[in-house]
Amino acid sequence: MMNKVKIVFLALALVFLAPSGYSQEYKSGPEEKDYIAYLFAYFKGNNVEEEAVCYAISNDGYNYLSLNNNNPVIDSKQISSTGGVRDPHILRGEDGKTFYMVLTDMTSSKGWESNRAMILLKSTDLVNWTSSIINIQQKYTGQEGLKRVWAPQTIYDPAVKKYMVYWSMKHDDGVDIIYYAYANKDFTDLEGEPRILFSPQNKKSCIDGDIINKNGIFHLFYKTEGHGNGIRLAMTDSLASNKWIEQPGYKQQTSDAVEGSSVFKRINSDTYILMYDVYMKGKYQFCESKDLDVFKVIDQDISMNFHPRHGSIIPITRRDLKALTNKWGIPEGFEMPSTANNPVLEGYYADPDILYSEKTKKYYIYPTSDGFTGWSGYYFKTFSSDNLKDWKDEDVILDLKKDVSWADRNAWAPCIIEKKVKGKYKYYYYFSAAQKIGVAVADNPTGPFVDSGKALIDFKPEGVKDGQEIDPEIFADPKTGKSYLYWGNGYMAVAELNEDMVSVKKNTIKVMTPDKTFREAITVFYRNGIYYFLWSEDDTRSENYRVRYATSTSPTGVLTISENNLILAKDPSKGIYGTGHNSVLQIPGKDEWRIVYHRFSRPNGINMGDAAGYNREVCIDKMEFNSDGSIKPIVPTL
């Protein structure tokens, strides 16, 4: 038996090594590092009042406490045609902020062959949902013999960039077969005719399909209905291909009848949990696996203060958990995760520049879009906030491939300035692209930004032979009103900008590299008559990436470097590494300051090798000064 399994996986591996050919897409929403808890959606039983969506939450994926005292969180009568719903399945969308739920529109009191419909729901907060009823028999012709529509689920199909809804159906005296159709853009209806997704080679019934994508391989767990009565597994690399490799044996670890399997991955772990409803015993069983093939029962680790039926579990972020508990309260005995300062943005971002806009009275972070292998991102985003804690994704503001004619790669390290020009606010946005520096202009901090049409800096200053023309910094001297552009990797250069802000006075270019610790990421600000120059030392892939500083009485030097000028560095005791490439913010009207920087993503960045240098996260901490104007060492926080 083991040899057969090995042969199957070898064949799959050879197929799956073929390149996908899919282009990169905009990223948004959380990454795995941002998840802190779990949400369990379930229903409770076969009485009509129990056929409704309920929620429970967990800190660890093992111990669950119900929300709303185990009462429904959605009124079944408001969303269904039968008065009851079963089998809730929740999926977080590819945008990271939209949730999709699908339900069986059914009450068992009317019989196991009484339902013809499913329900599609959509939400952005897990609390408020819009819904649509899809009656298969009414929507499609040729469905006169339809007996039941059971246990729908949803998965994103990258091959067509659509959400696939799949479910089992039985017609006349036939067997249950798993079908699929793609949802429309609004997730309010299905497109096209239902097609067979999976039917086992033995042509027996299969229901309760649950698909999870692991390394590009789609694993379908399903229940054999009326024969064997267990959970089996089939795999494919193409959801709609109808080409599945069925695995031998059953995956449940009990001889009791089971149904409603669902698989989820534990947060920041390589462990998967398969759970299923042991419905004759009125309990759930949980099993763990590393490979989705061999499972071990972990019932001894599981606790619940409720009795669920067929449901699903997803990881949730701090923001999601806050929305849920604000609505339904914190269950007794549930320990809320400690309030965290950092990271401030969900997802992978780096090289943050921060702006307080006088026009909008909001804060904005302008980062590098990270998480692309080898820093290969090609677009820029911005995030807005009223309080420096809750940040809104304002989406893409500049796409090199669409908006810039002279470069289409390596979108790095932007900076921005707000200026009033003839009574109106203008925003000048300087950015690195293809190891050159460009500038784009907008009337609002969120754009749209229009590129100047050519590189602003595509040359090395006289005398400089090495390094890169990247990491721009824009600074307006409050004494003179002049604006200066700084840049450089391996060297630090400065030039005064012309009044148009999109060209430099080349006769003012000056190299002012501080010392041998200078690598990149210059930041300049002014306080109490002192000009401060901050830079990053070492390589962004290094855990020792860190920030030093110098001071001056002029925006163009001479620089004074104190002996103890290291102000931001790693803190291994907190798992904080690679702290650097910062900007500085003064709270409007106050002598209060913040440093905004990136670090390796926690908790796994330190174990990622070079990839830690392009899977980074953005943080904000206090910056304080001694009485002589020197900067106190900054304490990086969680």
Side-chain angles (χ1 to χ4, degrees):
M1 185 63 70
M2 184 59 69
N3 288 337
K4 290 183 179 179
V5 173
K6 287 182 178 179
I7 290 171
V8 166
F9 276 99
L10 177 60
L12 281 169
L14 291 173
V15 171
F16 301 150
L17 284 175
S20 66
Y22 306 135
S23 60
Q24 291 176 323
E25 298 200 5
Y26 299 155
K27 296 180 179 181
S28 60
E31 299 285 349
E32 186 172 7
K33 69 180 181 65
D34 300 307
Y35 296 132
I36 62 164
Y38 302 82
L39 173 66
F40 189 173
Y42 60 94
F43 77 104
K44 293 189 292 187
N46 294 335
N47 296 325
V48 175
E49 62 271 16
E50 297 175 325
E51 292 173 315
V53 178
C54 296
Y55 280 167
I57 53 177
S58 170
N59 281 315
D60 58 8
Y62 295 141
N63 302 287
Y64 292 84
L65 295 171
S66 63
L67 289 174
N68 199 30
N69 295 315
N70 200 29
N71 292 312
V73 296
I74 302 174
D75 186 348
S76 297
K77 296 182 180 62
Q78 296 295 319
I79 62 172
S80 71
S81 61
T82 62
V85 302
R86 302 167 66 95
D87 319 318
H89 179 263
I90 292 184
L91 176 74
R92 185 187 297 271
E94 292 296 292
D95 65 359
K97 57 189 177 183
T98 305
F99 298 92
Y100 303 98
M101 179 158 44
V102 285
L103 303 165
T104 304
D105 185 349
M106 175 182 177
T107 175
S108 58
S109 61
K110 298 178 181 178
W112 297 112
E113 293 187 348
S114 63
N115 86 303
R116 307 290 184 268
M118 69 178 78
I119 305 165
L120 308 187
L121 301 97
K122 185 177 178 180
S123 173
T124 57
D125 60 8
L126 293 168
V127 174
N128 302 288
W129 296 85
T130 58
S131 63
S132 303
I133 297 170
I134 311 299
N135 188 301
I136 300 298
Q137 196 168 57
Q138 294 175 4
K139 178 177 175 62
Y140 299 103
T141 60
Q143 298 288 336
E144 292 79 10
L146 180 62
K147 295 296 180 68
R148 57 196 185 204
V149 175
W150 279 1
Q153 295 204 12
T154 309
I155 190 169
Y156 182 72
D157 186 349
V160 295
K161 297 181 174 60
K162 292 183 178 182
Y163 291 96
M164 173 187 283
V165 179
Y166 57 98
W167 69 96
S168 65
M169 290 195 295
K170 174 182 169 66
H171 293 82
D172 298 316
D173 295 327
V175 299
D176 296 272
I177 295 171
I178 298 177
Y179 290 80
Y180 78 92
Y182 291 105
N184 65 1
K185 185 177 180 180
D186 297 326
F187 206 74
T188 57
D189 203 353
L190 301 178
E191 298 178 341
E193 295 283 331
R195 298 183 180 183
I196 293 176
L197 177 72
F198 175 77
S199 179
Q201 294 176 1
N202 62 18
K203 303 303 179 183
K204 302 289 187 179
S205 286
C206 59
I207 63 170
D208 293 353
D210 177 64
I211 301 174
I212 186 168
N213 182 348
K214 181 177 185 290
N215 298 329
I217 302 174
F218 298 97
H219 294 65
L220 167 65
F221 292 84
Y222 62 95
K223 178 193 174 184
T224 57
E225 177 76 352
H227 63 100
N229 205 29
I231 307 299
R232 298 198 64 175
L233 171 64
M235 298 187 299
T236 185
D237 69 336
S238 177
L239 281 171
S241 67
N242 203 21
K243 295 178 180 178
W244 296 85
I245 298 177
E246 297 180 36
Q247 298 300 291
Y250 289 88
K251 299 306 176 185
Q252 81 279 6
Q253 302 297 301
T254 177
S255 58
D256 295 316
V258 300
E259 66 182 14
S261 68
S262 184
V263 178
F264 67 95
K265 183 176 177 290
R266 292 200 68 225
I267 299 167
N268 295 313
S269 166
D270 60 356
T271 300
Y272 293 83
I273 292 181
L274 167 68
M275 62 180 194
Y276 41 80
D277 188 353
V278 188
Y279 57 94
M280 298 299 289
K281 295 290 183 68
K283 69 173 187 177
Y284 251 84
Q285 184 164 78
F286 279 54
C287 304
E288 279 190 348
S289 175
K290 300 287 188 183
D291 58 9
L292 292 178
D293 180 41
V294 178
F295 291 88
K296 178 182 70 173
V297 174
I298 56 167
D299 286 350
Q300 68 279 1
D301 300 322
I302 305 302
S303 69
M304 303 179 192
N305 66 346
F306 56 98
H307 297 285
R309 299 291 311 279
H310 194 158
S312 58
I313 292 175
I314 61 169
I316 54 175
T317 66
R318 194 175 304 276
R319 183 199 304 262
D320 303 330
L321 182 60
K322 182 179 178 182
L324 292 166
T325 54
N326 282 350
K327 175 66 176 179
W328 290 294
I330 302 172
E332 183 179 353
F334 184 83
E335 185 176 344
M336 290 290 285
S338 59
T339 301
N341 295 319
N342 291 310
V344 294
L345 303 182
E346 293 179 349
Y348 293 125
Y349 297 94
D351 312 327
D353 194 62
I354 192 163
L355 169 75
Y356 176 77
S357 171
E358 293 291 345
K359 179 178 182 178
T360 66
K361 308 304 180 186
K362 291 183 179 182
Y363 301 95
Y364 297 86
I365 288 178
Y366 299 85
T368 296
S369 297
D370 221 18
F372 294 102
T373 301
W375 308 282
S376 58
Y378 59 91
Y379 61 86
F380 294 101
K381 305 178 80 171
T382 190
F383 298 81
S384 67
S385 174
D386 295 314
N387 56 16
L388 292 176
K389 293 181 180 179
D390 303 304
W391 293 89
K392 178 185 176 183
D393 186 341
E394 297 284 0
D395 215 343
V396 173
I397 58 171
L398 192 71
D399 182 326
L400 298 185
K401 295 183 178 181
K402 296 178 181 178
D403 306 322
V404 177
S405 60
W406 50 270
D408 63 359
R409 59 185 172 83
N410 303 128
W412 303 342
C415 64
I416 194 167
I417 191 169
E418 178 185 66
K419 290 184 77 74
K420 248 187 176 178
V421 179
K422 297 180 180 179
K424 294 183 178 180
Y425 285 104
K426 289 283 187 180
Y427 299 85
Y428 298 91
Y429 182 75
Y430 304 87
F431 57 94
S432 308
Q435 287 70 48
K436 303 172 186 177
I437 294 172
V439 56
V441 186
D443 294 327
N444 293 290
T446 56
F449 283 86
V450 178
D451 178 59
S452 68
K454 61 182 180 180
L456 177 59
I457 305 293
D458 58 358
F459 56 87
K460 283 182 168 52
E462 185 176 349
V464 174
K465 296 181 179 179
D466 299 316
Q468 300 180 81
E469 288 62 67
I470 62 172
D471 292 3
E473 163 69 351
I474 178 66
F475 172 71
D477 185 357
K479 285 187 173 182
T480 65
K482 294 180 178 179
S483 295
Y484 295 89
L485 184 74
Y486 304 81
W487 73 92
N489 162 281
Y491 67 91
M492 173 183 156
V494 62
E496 185 182 337
L497 286 163
N498 289 307
E499 287 189 9
D500 63 9
M501 299 294 289
V502 297
S503 60
V504 298
K505 297 179 179 180
K506 289 195 174 183
N507 62 345
T508 66
I509 293 174
K510 178 182 179 181
V511 176
M512 49 184 301
T513 310
D515 60 21
K516 291 183 179 179
T517 68
F518 181 87
R519 179 61 173 266
E520 59 195 7
I522 190 69
T523 295
V524 182
F525 68 94
Y526 179 82
R527 177 184 181 269
N528 293 347
I530 301 173
Y531 295 87
Y532 292 82
F533 296 77
L534 281 62
W535 67 89
S536 293
E537 176 186 8
D538 211 333
D539 189 287
T540 192
R541 292 166 290 190
S542 167
E543 66 178 79
N544 296 313
Y545 196 57
R546 52 195 184 175
V547 177
R548 294 185 181 272
Y549 83 104
T551 60
S552 180
T553 58
S554 164
T556 58
V558 176
L559 299 179
T560 299
I561 303 174
S562 64
E563 183 177 351
N564 300 313
N565 72 332
L566 178 63
I567 58 168
L568 180 62
K570 66 182 180 181
D571 185 344
S573 69
K574 298 176 182 175
I576 294 175
Y577 300 94
T579 53
H581 202 129
N582 69 281
S583 58
V584 172
L585 170 73
Q586 180 180 10
I587 303 300
K590 300 179 180 180
D591 188 25
E592 294 181 16
W593 299 77
R594 301 290 185 271
I595 185 168
V596 189
Y597 61 97
H598 73 237
R599 70 186 183 197
F600 287 2
S601 62
R602 293 182 71 258
N604 295 326
I606 189 60
N607 302 314
M608 295 173 69
D610 280 357
Y614 46 82
N615 288 278
R616 300 160 292 182
E617 59 188 19
V618 171
C619 303
I620 299 178
D621 278 310
K622 287 184 179 180
M623 172 183 278
E624 297 178 315
F625 299 83
N626 296 305
S627 58
D628 63 356
S630 59
I631 301 174
K632 294 181 179 180
I634 290 152
V635 179
T637 64
L638 299 177

